[in-house]
Amino acid sequence: LSATPEIPKEDARPKWDNKFQYILSCIGFAVGLGNVWRFPYLCQIHGGGAFLIPYFIALLFEGIPLLHLELALGQCLRKGSIGAWNTISPYLGGVGVGSWVVSVLVSLYYNTVLTWVMWYFINSFQEPLPWSVCPLNENRTGFNEECYESTAVNYFWYRKTLNVTPDIAESGTMQWWLILCLATCWGIVYLCTIRGIETTGKAIYVTAIFPYLVLTIFLIQGLTLPGATDGLIYLFTPNLNTLKNPRVWLDAATQIFFSLSLAFGGLIAFASYNPTKNDCEKDAVMVAIVNSMTSLYASIPVFSVLGFKATTAYWDCLDRNIISIINEFDLPEESIMRQNYTSWISFLNSSYPEKIAGLKLKSCNLQEFLDQSVSGTGLAFIVFTQAIILMPGSQAWAILFFIMLFSLGLSSMFGNIEGVFTPLLELQIIPKSAPKELLSGIICLISFLIALCFTLRSGSYWIDIFDRYAGSVPLLVIAFFEVIGVAYIYKIKRFSKDVEWMTGRKLNLYWHITWRFISPLLLLIVFMAFVTLQMQKPPSYTAWNPKYEGFPMKEEKAYPPWVQAICVLLAALPCVCVPLVALFHLVKQKRRSKDPSFVPPEVFSCQGANS
Amino acid sequence: MLRALLLTLSVVAIAHAELCKPDAQNAFKVRISIKTALGDNAYAWDANEEYLFKAMVAFAMRRYSSKSTTQISNVLLCNVTDRVSFWFVVTDSSKNVTTVPGSEVEAAIRMYRNRINSAFLLNDKTLQFLKITSTLSPPVEPSTPVWLIVFGVVLCLIVAGIVFLIVSGIQKHKKKNKESTERDNLEEKVEVTLENGIPCEALDLKAGHINGVFAADDERFTSL
C-alpha cells in the first residue's frame, strides 16, 4: 500500500504523434527514387501496359504479404529489427543483424546519390544552366573537345560533377565540391533524424507530400508539351508478347520487392513505435497500393517529358537535313517544311541522287528517338536535364525537379537511418544517460567519413557496385528467412493469434496461404533466377573514356578480380550473418545446457509483452 | 559619244563578270536567312538591301585599311539566288580589274562583323560568310560562382537548425532534471513517519484505519 504517486517512466518508448505520421513515414520510405527512374523504364522496355500484369501479380503475392508481415512483426514485438528477431528466436537473430548491415550499406551510398542531386540543385540557380552550353577550349577557337564530341549535358555530368576516371582501378582524388555537398546532405539527414521519429515525424510531412505536388505540376506542364502524347502512347501501348519472356516476370518481382523497401528493418522500426492495438493489415495494404499508384502516377510526367524530348530531337534532325538541302540547292527559305519533307526528299532523290548522297543526310525516325530508353541516374541527370533546357523557364523547372528528387530520396533515407538507429538504441551502445542526439550524431558522422570514398573520381562506379550487390541479393535472402522464420519457427498459429489481437478480426485465408506457401516459394524462385542471371555473364561495367575509339559511347570493361571479390563480400556479408548468429547461439546453448541452474526462457507472446 | 559610253559599260560589265563569279579568286559566298532570324518581321531581299550590303562591305574596307579609296561601286555582287545567297568580291580601283586579296577582305569583315550584322538585324548564324570563321564569345562568368552562394545559404540554414535542435534538447533535458529533483525534494518532505507502512497524516485525517485481516471475519463478531 503506497500513497506516493508513481513517477512516469522517463525512457518510455517514443511514439508517433498521430496515425497519419506513421502512414506517411512508411509511404515516404517506400516511395523513393526508384518509383521515378526505374518503374517507367521497366514499363517501357517490357511492353508498356502489359508490364502492369506481372507487376500487380507480384504485388499481390509477394509485396503485400511481406509488407504486412514486417509491419505486424514490428508492432507486436515493439522492437527494432535486431531485438525483434532475437525475441522471435535467438537462432533467427542473424536475420535482424543482416537487415541492420544492409541498412548501413545502403545508407552510405544512397546519400551520395542525394549529394549529386544537391549539386545539380545548387547549380540550377545559374542563368544559363551550366549543362546547356559547352565551355570553350583554351585558345577560344572552338568548344572543349570532350564536350563537343558528346553533349553539353553529358560533359557536365561526367566531367564537371563526377570528374570520372576511365577505369575503376584508377581512384583519383576526392572532389572537393562533392565533399561539400556530401557534408551538407549528411547535415540535413542529421537535422531531420536527430531525435529519431520525433524529428523525422515532423520532417516527413514536407518530404513525403512535396514530391506529389511537384509531380502534379510536372504532369500538367508535361501534358502541354508538344510530343507528350507520342511519349505516353509509346509507354502505355500494351505488347502482350513480352509476357512470354521470363525476364519480364523477374523484373516485375524484383521491382515490387525493392520498391517497397522490404527487409531493411526500417519498416519494423517504424511499426514498433505504434500502439499495439492498430490495424496493421489495413496499413500494409494502403502503403503497398499507394506505392504502386505513385509509380504509375510518376511515369506519366516522366514519359510526357521523354516524348517531348524525342519529338524535339526528331524535329532538330529534320531541320538539320532541311537546312543542308536548302543550302545545297539554294532553294528559298521555308520552301521545305517538316510536313512536306518526305515528298521533297523523294523528288530530289530521283532528280539529283548524287547531290543528295553527297549531303550525307541522317535518317530521322521518331520511333528511334523514343526507343532510347534510360533508367537510373542517366534518366535524371542526362536525359531529363536535357529536356529541361528545352522548356521555357528552365531554371524553375530544374529547381523543382531536383528538390522533388531530393525529397523523395530523403524520406527513404529516414527509413534507412531508422533501421540503423533503432536497433543501436535498443542495444544501448551509448549509456542511457547520454542523449539520443549523440547517437544519431555519431551515426551520421561515421557514415559521412566512410562515404567520402564515393567522392573519389571513381566513386560512381563504386556506387553502381553497391547498388547491384549490396542492395539486391541480400534483401532477397533476408526476406526469405523472415517469412520462413515467422511461418515455421514462430508458427503461423501463434502469429495469427497475435495479429488477431492487434487488428481485432480473424486473419484472412489469403494471408495464411501467402505467408505459408506462396511468398517463400516466390522468393526462392526469384532469388535463384536473379543469381543465375547475374552469373551468366562475367560482371562488367561501362566506363566513360574520352580516349575510347567509340566515344561518346561508353566503353564496356570487366571488373578486375579484387573488385569482384569486394562485390561478393558485399552480397555475402549480410547473408552470412544469418547462419553465423544461429551457430553462435547453438554453441552458447550447448554450453548453457551443461549448467544445471539454467532456466529456459519463457515462450513469447505478443499480448504478454504489453500487460 | 553614246557608242563609246556603251562600249565602256559593256567592257566594265564583262570585266565584272570575270571578277565576280562562283569560286572566283578572292570571292566570298554569303548566305542570309532572314525568315529564320526575324520570322514574321522578315523583310524582303531586294536591290536596296543589296545596296546596303555593298555599303557595309565598303565601310568595313575603308575602316580596316584606313584609306578612303574603296567606293560602293567597288563591291560586286553576283549569282543572287532565292535562298538568298550570293557571291561578292571587292575590286581595287587603283589597280585596274583586280580584286582585293581575300585575306584583307576577311580581316576587315571579321573586325566589323558586329556592325554588319546589326545593319541587317541578323547574327553570325543567319548572316553567314562561308569562308570566314567567327570568333566565339566566351560565356559570361560571374565573379563568385552562383552555386557557392546558394550552397552557403543552404549550409547556414542547416547549421542553424542543428544548433537550435541541440540547444532545445539540452534545455528540455535540464528542465526534466530540475523537475525530477524538485519532485524528489517534495517526496522527502512528505515522507515523515510511517507506521506499518502507513504515513501518520493519513491516520490523523481518518478516524482510525480498518485492519484488513480482521475485517473479513465479520460474522464471527456480534454487531455492535
Side-chain angles (χ1 to χ4, degrees):
Chain A
L1 295 159
S2 161
T4 54
E6 281 244 353
I7 308 165
K9 278 210 285 218
E10 293 224 357
D11 49 355
R13 196 173 182 77
K15 52 188 198 316
W16 299 105
D17 288 344
N18 49 53
K19 175 93 182 265
F20 184 58
Q21 223 179 53
Y22 161 63
I23 296 282
L24 214 57
S25 297
C26 291
I27 291 177
F29 185 30
V31 171
L33 297 168
N35 294 64
V36 170
W37 72 32
R38 180 122 177 104
F39 177 78
Y41 163 76
L42 287 177
C43 241
Q44 181 195 358
I45 62 170
H46 288 319
F51 180 70
L52 295 176
I53 298 177
Y55 184 73
F56 278 111
I57 291 181
L59 179 71
L60 207 61
F61 291 116
E62 191 192 341
I64 298 184
L66 283 168
L67 188 63
H68 185 204
L69 188 85
E70 287 212 4
L71 291 183
L73 204 67
Q75 198 174 293
C76 170
L77 299 172
R78 313 208 76 214
K79 289 218 179 87
S81 57
I82 298 185
W85 288 102
N86 258 328
T87 316
I88 294 237
S89 159
Y91 293 101
L92 281 178
V95 177
V97 177
S99 295
W100 186 83
V101 173
V102 170
S103 284
V104 169
L105 292 174
V106 170
S107 305
L108 287 175
Y109 83 81
Y110 205 80
N111 217 16
T112 315
V113 176
L114 287 186
T115 307
W116 297 337
V117 173
M118 161 137 295
W119 166 252
Y120 267 79
F121 166 70
I122 58 185
N123 270 298
S124 307
F125 287 89
Q126 243 176 295
E127 158 80 33
L129 290 171
W131 55 81
S132 58
V133 283
C134 270
L136 301 175
N137 58 16
E138 276 100 40
N139 44 10
R140 294 230 219 120
T141 50
F143 293 115
N144 179 305
E145 197 189 320
E146 187 183 347
C147 185
Y148 184 68
E149 284 184 27
S150 55
T151 58
V153 180
N154 273 321
Y155 178 76
F156 186 74
W157 169 238
Y158 287 109
R159 193 52 53 211
K160 289 291 184 174
T161 307
L162 301 174
N163 200 3
V164 73
T165 50
D167 193 291
I168 194 173
E170 295 169 38
S171 303
T173 50
M174 296 194 206
Q175 309 306 294
W176 62 272
W177 57 90
L178 286 181
I179 297 181
L180 286 180
C181 291
L182 186 72
T184 318
C185 283
W186 277 110
I188 295 181
V189 169
Y190 180 50
L191 178 69
C192 294
T193 59
I194 194 167
R195 282 191 226 135
I197 63 164
E198 260 179 72
T199 39
T200 60
K202 312 276 188 314
I204 201 79
Y205 285 119
V206 175
T207 59
I209 297 186
F210 186 70
Y212 288 97
L213 279 173
V214 177
L215 276 176
T216 313
I217 296 176
F218 263 100
L219 181 78
I220 301 173
Q221 154 76 347
L223 289 175
T224 60
L225 293 169
T229 34
D230 287 314
L232 286 175
I233 292 172
Y234 182 71
L235 168 70
F236 284 120
T237 315
N239 175 13
L240 291 167
N241 283 323
T242 53
L243 294 184
K244 296 190 198 130
N245 181 5
R247 190 69 204 267
V248 176
W249 295 86
L250 177 66
D251 276 341
T254 46
Q255 170 62 15
I256 260 294
F257 184 77
F258 299 135
S259 174
L260 283 171
S261 306
L262 299 165
F264 277 92
L267 288 168
I268 297 183
F270 279 154
S272 69
Y273 296 116
N274 262 342
T276 36
K277 289 260 187 189
N278 175 50
D279 195 343
C280 48
E281 185 181 345
K282 236 196 305 182
D283 297 340
V285 174
M286 197 191 314
V287 170
I289 290 185
V290 169
N291 180 51
S292 298
M293 288 300 125
T294 309
S295 294
L296 276 172
Y297 189 60
S299 49
I300 301 180
V302 167
F303 266 84
S304 318
V305 173
L306 289 181
F308 162 69
K309 180 175 177 296
T311 307
T312 323
Y314 172 63
W315 284 349
D316 276 342
C317 180
L318 279 181
D319 286 342
R320 268 199 302 268
N321 287 354
I322 290 174
I323 290 278
S324 328
I325 296 175
I326 287 183
N327 287 347
E328 177 71 16
F329 291 93
D330 281 321
L331 301 164
E333 278 183 289
E334 293 183 3
S335 53
I336 306 182
M337 302 294 284
R338 292 177 195 140
Q339 295 91 317
N340 50 17
Y341 171 76
T342 32
S343 49
W344 267 100
I345 269 282
S346 43
F347 164 69
L348 288 171
N349 224 352
S350 47
S351 348
Y352 310 96
E354 321 83 41
K355 264 194 176 178
I356 292 285
L359 284 177
K360 296 209 185 71
L361 298 171
K362 251 193 184 160
S363 72
C364 299
N365 185 358
L366 181 62
Q367 204 57 24
E368 214 181 281
F369 288 111
L370 283 171
D371 275 335
Q372 289 166 359
S373 51
V374 201
S375 80
T377 50
L379 179 73
F381 298 118
I382 298 181
V383 171
F384 228 78
T385 43
Q386 200 159 29
I388 286 180
I389 305 174
L390 304 166
M391 297 185 204
S394 356
Q395 271 86 12
W397 296 114
I399 292 171
L400 269 180
F401 178 64
F402 289 114
I403 294 192
M404 175 189 80
L405 284 188
F406 195 78
S407 319
L408 281 173
L410 195 65
S411 49
S412 299
M413 270 305 283
F414 292 162
N416 279 323
I417 292 287
E418 206 52 48
V420 175
F421 184 65
T422 307
L424 282 182
L425 205 63
E426 284 158 11
L427 285 177
Q428 290 172 6
I429 299 283
I430 56 166
K432 247 193 177 146
S433 53
K436 261 193 260 182
E437 289 90 332
L438 187 65
L439 181 63
S440 46
I442 293 176
I443 293 176
C444 289
L445 187 65
I446 296 182
S447 308
F448 166 66
L449 292 173
I450 300 180
L452 282 175
C453 315
F454 294 122
T455 59
L456 289 170
R457 291 181 61 186
S458 55
S460 64
Y461 300 134
W462 286 106
I463 290 195
D464 269 330
I465 289 180
F466 268 69
D467 192 29
R468 265 198 271 178
Y469 295 102
S472 59
V473 171
L475 293 172
L476 290 168
V477 171
I478 291 171
F480 177 71
F481 279 110
E482 279 189 5
V483 185
I484 295 289
V486 169
Y488 296 106
I489 300 185
Y490 188 73
K491 300 274 191 319
I492 279 282
K493 252 197 208 141
R494 267 169 76 192
F495 195 61
S496 64
K497 272 210 208 104
D498 292 333
V499 176
E500 260 177 62
W501 186 80
M502 288 194 292
T503 60
R505 55 173 183 278
K506 221 171 142 47
L507 203 61
N508 201 329
L509 186 65
Y510 161 71
W511 302 112
H512 280 281
I513 300 180
T514 47
W515 283 341
R516 261 196 253 233
F517 311 113
I518 301 188
S519 295
L521 194 64
L522 211 58
L523 277 172
L524 199 64
I525 296 175
V526 169
F527 172 70
M528 307 280 245
F530 199 77
V531 172
T532 325
L533 262 157
Q534 292 276 25
M535 308 249 266
Q536 260 177 7
K537 48 180 171 70
S540 65
Y541 66 108
T542 48
W544 178 262
N545 185 4
K547 300 210 175 47
Y548 178 51
E549 309 95 49
F551 189 75
M553 302 294 287
K554 292 173 83 171
E555 188 183 353
E556 179 114 3
K557 285 189 179 174
Y559 285 127
W562 62 276
V563 175
Q564 287 190 25
I566 295 185
C567 297
V568 171
L569 190 73
L570 281 175
L573 193 67
C575 307
V576 96
C577 288
V578 180
L580 266 183
V581 172
L583 203 67
F584 171 73
H585 267 283
L586 197 66
V587 168
K588 211 161 90 170
Q589 189 81 323
K590 282 236 166 73
R591 255 194 239 149
R592 257 211 215 142
S593 59
K594 295 184 187 143
D595 179 7
S597 62
F598 170 64
V599 176
E602 45 185 76
V603 171
F604 175 82
S605 160
C606 198
Q607 303 132 47
N610 306 292
S611 51
Chain B
M1 178 63 185
L2 201 65
R3 223 188 272 166
L5 196 66
L6 272 169
L7 203 63
T8 39
L9 275 174
S10 52
V11 165
V12 167
I14 294 167
H16 283 186
E18 286 293 315
L19 291 172
C20 177
K21 56 175 191 242
D23 296 318
Q25 200 190 30
N26 302 330
F28 293 92
K29 182 165 184 183
V30 178
R31 194 184 285 147
I32 300 187
S33 318
I34 310 175
K35 285 203 193 132
T36 317
L38 301 169
D40 287 331
N41 300 330
Y43 49 81
W45 186 263
D46 52 12
N48 296 324
E49 303 289 340
E50 287 182 20
Y51 191 82
L52 179 59
F53 183 80
K54 291 185 200 174
M56 292 307 296
V57 174
F59 161 76
M61 292 304 299
R62 285 166 85 116
R63 264 295 170 82
Y64 176 73
S65 46
S66 312
K67 49 184 182 184
S68 316
T69 50
T70 319
Q71 304 289 328
I72 288 182
S73 48
N74 285 114
V75 184
L76 307 173
L77 260 58
C78 51
N79 282 67
V80 185
T81 64
D82 282 334
R83 167 71 180 84
V84 192
S85 65
F86 49 84
W87 290 83
F88 79 93
V89 79
V90 183
T91 57
D92 202 339
S93 331
S94 49
K95 309 176 193 155
N96 245 341
V97 205
T98 49
T99 52
V100 175
S103 49
E104 249 186 77
V105 180
E106 180 171 340
I109 294 201
R110 274 190 108 157
M111 197 173 284
Y112 296 99
R113 187 68 184 267
N114 217 12
R115 298 290 295 272
I116 302 177
N117 285 350
S118 339
F120 291 97
L121 308 172
L122 301 171
N123 58 32
D124 278 5
K125 282 210 194 99
T126 41
L127 171 53
Q128 289 170 301
F129 289 86
L130 285 185
K131 275 186 282 184
I132 305 177
T133 52
S134 42
T135 39
L136 301 157
S137 57
V140 176
E141 281 211 29
S143 47
T144 7
V146 177
W147 72 265
L148 266 179
I149 300 175
V150 180
F151 172 76
V153 169
V154 172
L155 197 65
C156 285
L157 286 172
I158 294 169
V159 169
I162 293 178
V163 165
F164 169 72
L165 280 176
I166 291 184
V167 164
S168 68
I170 294 177
Q171 279 182 349
K172 227 196 286 182
H173 204 69
K174 269 201 202 136
K175 213 165 65 174
K176 249 194 227 156
N177 275 342
K178 215 166 61 170
E179 266 180 30
S180 61
T181 47
E182 272 179 19
R183 221 183 282 132
D184 282 338
N185 289 339
L186 217 67
E187 281 168 13
E188 275 177 25
K189 292 195 203 123
V190 167
E191 276 195 44
V192 194
T193 41
L194 284 175
E195 283 286 321
N196 286 343
I198 305 167
C200 289
E201 281 94 38
L203 290 170
D204 286 339
L205 291 170
K206 298 178 189 157
H209 198 89
I210 297 177
N211 193 335
V213 179
F214 299 99
D217 274 354
D218 267 340
E219 291 123 22
R220 286 185 50 199
F221 300 97
T222 47
S223 48
L224 291 165

